[in-house]
C-alpha cells in the first residue's frame, strides 16, 4: 500500500515546515553547476505543494533563502533571485487553480526590488485563496526574528501600550513573523544533515523532526507522504507520560 493511503486524514498535522537542502550536491553529483540543482529544486517544490494540496494541508513553510545565504558567491545569489522571480511569476495561475495563498516571512526588504515586487504581487493576487498557506522563508533568520519580536515588545512597553507583567508566551508569539500561523508539528530536512540552521527556533519547540538522506531535487510528494506517515506513528507526549496521553 502507498504511504498516501495509510495517512490518517483526521490526524494530519496542520503545519509542515521544510528545510530544502542538497541542491548544490545534487548538481555536483551530475557534474553540473549548483544553479542546475536549484532549478530542479523548483520541480520538487511544485510537486510537494501539489501533494500538500491533495491532503488538504493548511500550512506549508519552505526555507527558501536564509539570511546567511547572502554570503554565497554573488552569481549564485543572483541566479536564485532570478529563479524566484520567474518561478513565482509562472506559478501564480497554478496557485489560483489550487486555491493556494502565498505568504513570505523574513527580512524581505533585503530582496532585490524586482523580486520583492513579484512576490508582493503574487501575495496580493493569491490573498483571496482559502486553501494551503504556502509561506516562503526568504532572507530569513530565526534569531533575527526573535530579536525583532523583542524590540517590538520593548517599543510597546516604552510607549505605554503594554505592561511588562503582561508579557507572556502568547504576546511573544504575536510579535513573531508567524503570528497568524499555528506552530509546525512536523519539520522535515532533506540531504542527510541533522541541523536546524536558524529556522523557526521558537516555533518548532514541540515539532517532530524528520530527516531524510534524499537531496531536495529528488524529494517528491511520495516522500512528503512518507514523512507524514512516520510522524503519525510517533507518540507526542508534550512532557507528559505515555499513560496520560493515551
Ligand atoms: C539548499 O541547497 C537550497 C537553497 C539555499 C535554495 C533553495 C531554493 C530553491 C529550491 C528555489 C525555490 C524557489 C521558490 C520560488 C520556492 P544548497 O544549495 O544549500 O545545497 P548544498 O547543501 O548541497 O550545497
Amino acid at each position: 500500500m502507498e504511504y498516501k493511503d495509510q495517512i490518517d486524514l483526521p490526524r494530519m498535522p496542520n503545519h509542515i515546515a521544510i528545510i530544502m537542502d542538497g541542491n548544490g550536491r545534487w548538481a555536483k553529483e551530475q557534474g553540473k553547476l549548483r544553479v542546475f540543482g536549484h532549478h530542479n529544486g523548483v520541480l520538487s517544490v511544485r510537486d510537494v505543494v501539489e501533494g500538500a494540496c491533495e491532503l488538504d494541508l493548511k500550512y506549508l513553510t519552505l526555507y527558501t533563502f536564509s539570511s546567511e545565504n547572502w554570503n554565497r558567491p554573488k552569481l549564485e545569489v543572483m541566479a536564485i533571485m532570478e529563479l524566484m522571480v520567474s518561478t513565482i511569476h509562472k506559478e501564480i495561475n497554478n496557485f489560483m487553480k489550487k486555491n493556494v495563498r502565498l505568504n513570505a516571512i523574513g527580512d524581505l526588504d533585503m530582496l532585490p526590488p524586482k523580486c520583492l515586487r513579484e512576490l508582493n504581487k503574487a501575495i496580493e493576487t493569491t490573498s483571496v485563496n482559502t486553501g494551503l498557506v504556502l509561506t516562503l522563508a526568504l532572507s530569513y533568520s530565526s534569531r533575527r526574528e526573535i530579536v525583532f519580536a523583542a524590540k517590538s515588545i520593548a517599543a510597546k512597553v516604552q510607549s505605554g501600550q503594554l505592561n511588562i507583567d503582561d508579557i507572556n508566551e502568547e504576546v511573544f508569539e504575536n510579535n513573531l513573523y508567524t503570528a497568524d500561523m499555528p506552530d509546525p508539528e512536523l519539520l522535515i530536512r532533506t540531504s542527510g544533515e541533522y541541523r536546524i540552521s536558524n529556522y523557526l527556533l521558537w516555533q518548532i519547540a514541540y515539532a517532530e523532526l524528520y530527516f531524510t538522506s534524499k537531496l531536495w531535487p529528488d524529494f517528491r510528494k511520495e516522500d512528503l507522504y512518507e514523512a507524514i506517515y512516520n510522524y503519525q506513528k510517533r507518540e507526542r507526549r508534550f512532557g507528559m507520560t505515555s499513560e496520560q496521553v493515551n
Side-chain angles (χ1 to χ4, degrees):
M1 223 201 313
E2 294 190 359
Y3 284 112
K4 188 182 181 192
D5 303 321
Q6 298 181 68
I7 291 174
D8 182 5
L9 293 176
R11 288 177 52 243
M12 269 287 289
N14 288 305
H15 185 175
I16 299 178
I18 306 185
I19 302 177
M20 311 183 285
D21 195 15
N23 293 353
R25 276 164 284 165
W26 186 87
K28 202 171 167 194
E29 273 177 6
Q30 323 199 17
K32 299 271 175 47
L33 295 175
R34 297 177 53 82
V35 176
F36 183 68
H38 298 317
H39 277 266
N40 280 276
V42 171
L43 304 182
S44 301
V45 170
R46 191 174 298 143
D47 200 61
V48 164
V49 168
E50 194 177 290
C53 289
E54 282 171 28
L55 291 180
D56 281 332
L57 180 70
K58 305 266 188 307
Y59 296 88
L60 177 66
T61 301
L62 304 177
Y63 205 1
T64 308
F65 195 84
S66 71
S67 297
E68 292 77 18
N69 286 153
W70 290 115
N71 299 322
R72 291 197 172 189
K74 207 171 160 201
L75 271 179
E76 182 175 344
V77 170
M78 275 164 57
I80 293 178
M81 292 300 140
E82 281 298 323
L83 182 60
M84 218 126 61
V85 172
S86 64
T87 304
I88 292 169
H89 186 76
K90 273 193 239 157
E91 289 300 311
I92 288 193
N93 282 343
N94 209 9
F95 291 158
M96 295 313 287
K97 262 190 246 154
K98 294 198 153 53
N99 198 21
V100 172
R101 178 156 70 84
L102 188 68
N103 179 37
I105 55 171
D107 196 355
L108 304 180
D109 290 339
M110 290 281 289
L111 297 172
K114 194 170 149 199
C115 191
L116 190 56
R117 263 200 311 276
E118 202 60 56
L119 182 68
N120 282 334
K121 197 171 90 190
I123 290 174
E124 169 80 34
T125 311
T126 61
S127 64
V128 292
N129 293 342
T130 54
L132 175 73
V133 177
L134 173 64
T135 301
L136 304 181
L138 289 168
S139 190
Y140 177 84
S141 148
S142 185
R143 285 185 170 180
R144 264 191 224 174
E145 176 186 30
I146 290 170
V147 170
F148 167 80
K151 272 190 183 165
S152 48
I153 292 169
K156 283 172 198 155
V157 170
Q158 200 173 34
S159 69
Q161 250 180 290
L162 184 69
N163 226 311
I164 287 199
D165 292 335
D166 293 334
I167 299 173
N168 55 23
E169 290 182 20
E170 196 186 337
V171 168
F172 208 90
E173 269 160 19
N174 288 338
N175 282 276
L176 294 169
Y177 297 138
T178 51
D180 46 2
M181 288 185 227
D183 287 341
E185 295 98 327
L186 173 61
L187 171 74
I188 299 172
R189 182 175 189 142
T190 60
S191 93
E193 306 285 4
Y194 300 92
R195 286 191 289 274
I196 302 301
S197 301
N198 205 3
Y199 191 44
L200 302 173
L201 298 178
W202 173 286
Q203 297 88 339
I204 59 161
Y206 276 102
E208 295 295 327
L209 309 182
Y210 179 86
F211 299 98
T212 167
S213 58
K214 277 218 175 164
L215 303 176
W216 179 250
D218 287 329
F219 196 89
R220 286 292 178 271
K221 58 174 121 168
E222 287 72 25
D223 301 296
L224 175 73
Y225 300 151
E226 183 175 357
I228 298 171
Y229 174 78
N230 180 292
Y231 158 85
Q232 291 191 330
K233 289 270 168 249
R234 301 185 190 185
E235 182 181 73
R236 306 188 73 210
R237 290 193 293 277
F238 303 99
M240 290 185 282
T241 66
S242 191
E243 290 71 24
Q244 281 176 301
V245 292
N246 283 304

